Amino acid sequence: MAAPPGLPPPEKLLEKADEYLAELEKGPWPSHVSELKKTGYPVRVYGVGLVARKSPWGPSAVKAKRLTGVLARIARDWVPGGGEEVHFRVFHTPGRFLPTDYLRKIIQISREYGVGLIEAVGQTGAMVINVKSKDLGDKMIDTLREIGTDVGGSGDAIRELNACVGPALCEFALYDTLNWLVAFRKDKRVHDATAVPGYPYKFKIKLSGCPMDCARANRGDIGFIGVWKGAPEVDQELLRKKIENGEVDPEKLVANCPSGAISWDPAKKELKIDGARCKKSMHCIRAAFPAIKPGKEKRVAVVVGGGSKGRYGPKLGWFIGFLKPDEVDKAIDVTFKVIKPWDEEAQAKYRLGDYILMEGLYRFIEKAGISLEDTPKYVEKLPDNVPYRVLPEEERKKFAEFAEKVKQLVRV
Amino acid sequence: MSIELKYPTEVERFLPEIIKRNYGKWKERKFHGSGIIEHISETGERVFTIKVALPPNARVSADTLEKFADIADKYGVGALRITVAGNVEFITDSLEKAQKIKEEVEKMGFPVGGWRGAMWGINTCTAFLTCQIGVVDAPSIGKALGDALKPYFTGEIPLPAKLRIFISGCPSGCAGGTATDIAIVGMWGAPPKIREEVLPLCMPPPKALAKIPESQIFLVQVCPTGALTLRRQDGQIKLVLVGEKCINCGRCKDNCDAFDYDPKDVGVAILVGGRMSNSGGGPRLARNLIPWLPANPPRYEEIVAVVKQVVEVWRQNAKPGERLADFIDRIGWAKFLDLVGVPRPIAEYMWMPDIARTYLTYRARGEYIFKGFRDAI
């Protein structure tokens, strides 16, 4: 980017940059500038960017062993003093648990080869470590591999996988997200697609244990969300005890249910939940756990096509079917079934969701060959329905057959 | 050179002992003030988690992280956890130790809080720290907002329900899309300018350009509205930007460095009422409340004021447990705009399908959207 017009001379610019940076160190919220100043990061370049109201960084390249996960920037020519910024996306541990011995190793690596700055969690879900200079990249990768992690996940590849904490620290998890994550990582196809960029655009895989969706699975290109079928399980005995203790208000449970599926019988002191109407909002479960638990028939909902980038802007995922909590192999197969038509047909820089918008969800399901439990057959939510269209003959035939069937039923 | 990756795949190795023993056996949770949560297991063991806010963009120095590690060793179970929203969680096994950890980190200047009815943290993208396409600087907006909204995080001022704020430096929305309660998104404000001297790097060589059909040129393909086209004049082929068609999505800038903007046009859009979780009416994308606000570093008074106003309107009028999205649904969009005091609602998108609405509302420059494109959807 060109220098913004009306930029003050270099000395003035740096002075003003220092002023802005000092301003950002004040206040009760933890300051990123104070943290940056403790490290070798070129913080004045950032300050100059703030003054100029333009990003001070331009694209650069770095020679390293890795095809993905390595990114470099160089300061634009209007930034006095210049500077460079090289950073690596490092895979996080399952559930993002960092034992202190492991964390200290990361800190040591960051000090030895890097500027001592760590982005604890980047927006892709990976940990981002800044490197001191371009030549130290390979050495750092080797050291990272020694402690059992690696660099990867940028460009048009499968990005760092994201799973919620799951059964490790949450009572609501409906399937084992961490072991699913590990199973995905161990799969050769996922591994290859993360190492080598080759898709039309990035591809994100996300795993959430329950409908509260902490891993933001609805926003991934493919997301797996733990749900159950039917009504939540109610332990009437325990619930009565909770109500007596004043922990749960049955009236509130009924009022807060967004689908109106709950009814309370004050005479019998019994709570009834209509499974057919339950929207799986987790309201009652969160209020009265463990007296109300998710239903026994656990499933993993598969959603595809979410994301915030792409040709058609931000989108949420489409539901394409259920898996069982132990079918992780099938989940990996589904992932690659979903990828196949998109990889073959989509234009460059089309996210999966954009491709589905172009194709239509049903044609996409057909093309990908997906047949899971409850794969949708009807359109639930249509963008403005256009009533006229040229139909191919076989489709017209289908509707004619349907009319014949109805004719026999209704007997006109 | 091999491309073998080494994933950290051993779940067992990274879990603290106490978590390993109770994996999948949790049955209850309790809250001890804001920021401390207790999980009770079937085995009778208890784990306390303390949630601590990190600086914007979760940027921490090795020194700070080392101090965290020391605290985790001294009072905790020797492990930390990083959350997706850029907070750090300490894990320990008794309430006293949890209080100690709270004291220690607060002494270091990191607030503790962010559970139940509170602000759960501010997520920002990297913007000017790293990114070469960022339009406004998200971390400094995050810092300014954090200073103003800290009481909502620590629980001094309770909120009706969870509040998440995402700040993205540009319409790419790297901080987490728009499916969040309040999303602040950097906007170009005006169509980009093409820097002719850089453009040849992103285009096929002139001889090839003459032979390839227009639809096959990458930059033309990338533009969703057809604002970028090729003009052929006197044997010269030129990439032309039709300003009226541009919706400021920044996709050209994402893919080629030749597109530039003027800092004086730059601002942010504020979107409200998105949500990821299925509580209530299901996940949904946020709606555009204000299409353009100036972004004035380093304190961003305008943005902070508007966000605070929205939070206050919601806090004072919502029922307990009602998220911003549910609140807006209950009282209606028009009433909500009245309460916030937005001068004129942006109504032209109301009848549009969900996807198109978010796409257009947050990417378009005010009301000057390319009409043909809008009508086509």
Side-chain angles (χ1 to χ4, degrees):
Chain A
M1 283 186 282
L7 211 60
E11 309 85 58
K12 271 267 176 67
L13 189 59
L14 286 176
E15 214 173 89
K16 207 155 181 217
D18 287 343
E19 217 175 275
Y20 275 32
L21 291 173
E23 187 64 35
L24 284 173
E25 284 191 84
K26 294 174 193 159
W29 197 254
S31 162
H32 57 296
V33 175
S34 318
E35 293 296 319
L36 294 174
K37 281 190 176 169
K38 287 181 201 163
T39 68
Y41 177 88
V43 67
R44 274 181 129 181
V45 177
Y46 172 64
V48 167
L50 281 178
V51 176
R53 299 204 196 174
K54 218 169 199 191
S55 177
W57 301 109
S60 173
V62 59
K63 210 178 142 207
K65 273 182 196 168
R66 287 280 162 267
L67 294 169
T68 62
V70 185
L71 293 100
R73 316 272 188 237
I74 190 159
R76 302 270 180 192
D77 45 14
W78 45 267
V79 178
E84 63 170 12
E85 202 258 4
V86 185
H87 66 263
F88 287 175
R89 286 183 183 160
V90 179
F91 296 125
H92 247 300
T93 57
R96 297 204 179 80
F97 280 99
L98 296 172
T100 44
D101 57 332
Y102 180 80
L103 181 63
R104 279 176 209 280
K105 279 180 199 159
I106 296 264
I107 292 168
Q108 203 193 335
I109 291 170
S110 162
R111 280 195 179 136
E112 199 169 328
Y113 302 109
V115 297
L117 179 66
I118 295 159
E119 189 180 342
V121 54
Q123 299 309 319
T124 42
M127 185 186 263
V128 180
I129 302 182
N130 280 60
V131 185
K132 209 184 283 173
S133 83
K134 287 179 178 176
D135 340 315
L136 287 171
D138 277 341
K139 274 188 194 157
M140 179 150 140
I141 291 171
D142 288 339
T143 343
L144 280 171
R145 298 193 69 164
E146 268 167 36
I147 68 163
T149 184
D150 210 330
V151 167
S154 69
D156 302 336
I158 289 185
R159 298 293 181 89
E160 160 77 317
L161 291 98
N162 188 4
C164 75
V165 66
L169 204 57
C170 182
E171 62 270 34
F172 299 137
L174 287 147
Y175 70 101
D176 193 339
T177 48
L178 297 189
N179 280 318
W180 272 52
L181 172 84
V182 165
F184 266 89
R185 282 183 167 176
K186 279 182 179 162
D187 191 87
K188 181 93 175 51
R189 291 168 291 176
V190 175
H191 181 288
D192 288 353
T194 315
V196 187
Y199 292 143
Y201 208 174
K202 62 179 152 195
F203 193 86
K204 292 191 173 181
I205 303 171
K206 304 194 173 205
L207 308 143
S208 270
C210 78
M212 285 197 283
D213 202 359
C214 290
R216 310 183 202 154
N218 246 313
R219 243 192 57 223
D221 289 279
I222 189 162
F224 299 93
I225 306 173
V227 286
W228 65 93
K229 286 187 127 182
E233 213 183 307
V234 186
D235 185 339
Q236 304 288 358
E237 203 53 44
L238 195 59
L239 187 67
R240 254 167 252 156
K241 224 188 254 170
K242 281 203 165 220
I243 292 170
E244 272 165 34
N245 290 348
E247 285 173 49
V248 180
D249 182 359
E251 244 93 272
K252 243 187 185 172
L253 278 186
V254 175
N256 279 349
C257 179
S259 51
I262 301 180
S263 56
W264 168 248
D265 190 342
K268 275 196 211 160
K269 293 205 169 176
E270 231 177 53
L271 193 79
K272 267 189 193 157
I273 303 177
D274 183 359
R277 277 160 76 191
C278 176
K279 276 188 185 169
K280 324 286 183 272
S281 77
M282 308 269 303
H283 262 302
C284 53
I285 295 170
R286 274 192 294 171
F289 197 84
I292 306 177
K293 272 185 190 169
K296 276 211 173 113
E297 224 181 313
K298 288 174 185 169
R299 290 287 186 277
V300 179
V302 187
V303 290
V304 295
S308 63
K309 278 196 188 182
R311 189 180 181 91
Y312 297 119
K315 306 169 266 310
L316 293 171
W318 286 270
F319 168 76
I320 58 160
F322 287 122
L323 290 165
K324 294 209 174 80
D326 53 352
E327 291 179 329
V328 55
D329 296 333
K330 212 170 162 189
I332 300 169
D333 284 343
V334 169
T335 305
F336 283 91
K337 266 187 193 173
V338 163
I339 287 177
K340 203 174 170 240
W342 168 67
D343 186 18
E344 281 168 2
E345 292 175 15
Q347 278 187 24
K349 300 291 166 189
Y350 271 53
R351 283 289 283 272
L352 178 64
D354 301 318
Y355 174 70
I356 296 177
L357 273 174
M358 298 281 281
E359 283 294 307
L361 182 61
Y362 302 99
R363 256 170 74 99
F364 170 75
I365 287 175
E366 217 170 85
K367 266 189 182 170
I370 294 162
S371 67
L372 299 171
E373 187 183 342
D374 288 350
T375 295
K377 291 188 187 72
Y378 308 101
V379 183
E380 234 182 63
K381 206 160 127 194
L382 250 189
D384 293 356
N385 202 343
V386 182
Y388 315 113
R389 200 189 134 204
V390 180
L391 286 174
E393 202 180 327
E394 59 266 31
E395 254 181 74
R396 272 179 283 161
K397 221 171 164 183
K398 258 192 237 163
F399 288 109
E401 275 167 22
F402 164 73
E404 278 303 317
K405 247 193 235 164
V406 180
K407 241 158 76 182
Q408 280 163 18
L409 282 174
V410 184
R411 295 211 185 150
V412 234
Chain B
M1 275 210 298
S2 91
I3 52 158
E4 265 321 88
L5 291 177
K6 196 163 182 188
Y7 277 126
T9 46
E10 315 92 342
V11 181
E12 298 275 300
R13 147 123 174 61
F14 296 108
L15 295 184
E17 281 300 320
I18 190 161
I19 303 279
K20 231 183 283 174
R21 283 200 295 273
N22 301 302
Y23 193 82
K25 291 182 192 157
W26 305 107
K27 62 164 193 179
E28 223 177 321
R29 60 172 67 177
K30 267 187 203 156
F31 292 90
H32 298 275
S34 183
I36 301 179
I37 186 173
E38 176 189 2
H39 289 277
I40 303 164
S41 152
E42 279 168 13
T43 59
E45 281 191 293
R46 281 144 196 270
V47 163
F48 293 80
T49 313
I50 302 96
K51 196 198 245 181
V52 182
L54 288 180
N57 200 230
R59 291 267 167 168
V60 272
S61 60
D63 300 356
T64 309
L65 265 186
E66 197 162 43
K67 276 184 202 151
F68 281 165
D70 291 342
I71 293 172
D73 274 339
K74 199 172 168 196
Y75 300 110
V77 294
L80 313 168
R81 210 179 85 75
I82 309 285
T83 69
V84 192
N87 296 316
V88 61
E89 289 179 358
F90 289 86
I91 301 159
T92 185
D93 52 9
S94 81
L95 189 57
E96 292 83 64
K97 284 183 189 166
Q99 299 287 10
K100 272 266 163 50
I101 292 176
K102 188 175 171 177
E103 252 170 55
E104 291 275 326
V105 288
E106 274 177 351
K107 230 188 274 164
M108 284 171 67
F110 293 91
V112 173
W115 255 311
R116 307 180 97 183
M119 183 174 82
W120 281 42
I122 301 175
N123 236 12
T124 74
C125 74
T126 47
F128 292 2
L129 287 172
T130 300
C131 181
Q132 78 271 37
I133 55 181
V135 177
V136 296
D137 181 47
S140 52
I141 299 179
K143 164 74 176 140
L145 263 182
D147 285 342
L149 303 183
K150 190 193 163 228
Y152 301 112
F153 179 80
T154 52
E156 283 162 47
I157 307 175
L159 292 175
K162 171 179 178 175
L163 172 73
R164 269 189 196 285
I165 300 177
F166 287 0
I167 305 163
S168 301
C170 77
S172 292
C174 291
T178 67
T180 180
D181 296 293
I182 299 177
I184 298 166
V185 184
M187 298 277 303
W188 293 40
K193 292 170 190 145
I194 300 177
R195 288 171 68 201
E196 297 291 343
E197 71 274 18
V198 189
L199 195 59
L201 296 173
C202 313
M203 298 281 280
K207 262 191 188 166
L209 195 61
K211 285 179 197 157
I212 309 171
E214 189 184 44
S215 60
Q216 297 297 310
I217 309 291
F218 182 59
L219 284 177
V220 176
Q221 277 181 353
V222 145
C223 182
T225 61
L228 284 173
T229 48
L230 290 186
R231 291 264 162 85
R232 290 162 207 269
Q233 247 172 11
D234 326 321
Q236 287 270 319
I237 301 170
K238 219 181 143 193
L239 189 78
V240 176
L241 181 94
V242 185
E244 292 83 52
K245 288 190 187 184
C246 175
I247 57 163
N248 282 339
C249 65
R251 260 166 76 81
C252 49
K253 177 80 193 150
D254 272 0
N255 294 301
C256 176
D257 199 42
F259 297 88
D260 205 351
Y261 60 84
D262 193 335
K264 79 172 187 334
D265 300 321
V266 159
V268 295
I270 294 184
L271 292 93
V272 296
R275 177 175 54 196
M276 204 78 257
S277 106
N278 189 26
S279 58
R284 79 178 66 161
L285 296 166
R287 245 185 210 173
N288 194 324
L289 179 72
I290 293 172
W292 195 88
L293 265 186
N296 294 324
R299 299 268 33 140
Y300 303 97
E301 284 91 359
E302 297 85 357
I303 300 171
V304 172
V306 170
V307 171
K308 220 172 168 183
Q309 164 79 346
V310 171
V311 175
E312 276 301 311
V313 162
W314 169 58
R315 185 177 78 86
Q316 284 163 13
N317 298 297
K319 289 180 185 167
E322 204 172 35
R323 278 186 79 167
L324 189 56
D326 301 326
F327 168 67
I328 294 173
D329 273 6
R330 181 167 62 83
I331 67 164
W333 181 243
K335 180 91 199 288
F336 177 73
L337 291 175
D338 264 359
L339 285 173
V340 179
V342 175
R344 198 176 63 82
I346 318 294
E348 47 259 47
Y349 315 108
M350 298 309 227
W351 51 270
M352 277 199 201
D354 266 2
I355 300 156
R357 184 192 296 137
T358 317
Y359 172 54
L360 287 174
T361 47
Y362 112 84
R363 292 191 161 184
R365 296 191 307 283
E367 54 208 90
Y368 305 107
I369 321 135
F370 173 51
K371 261 204 137 74
F373 177 66
R374 200 180 68 200
D375 297 342
I377 293 180

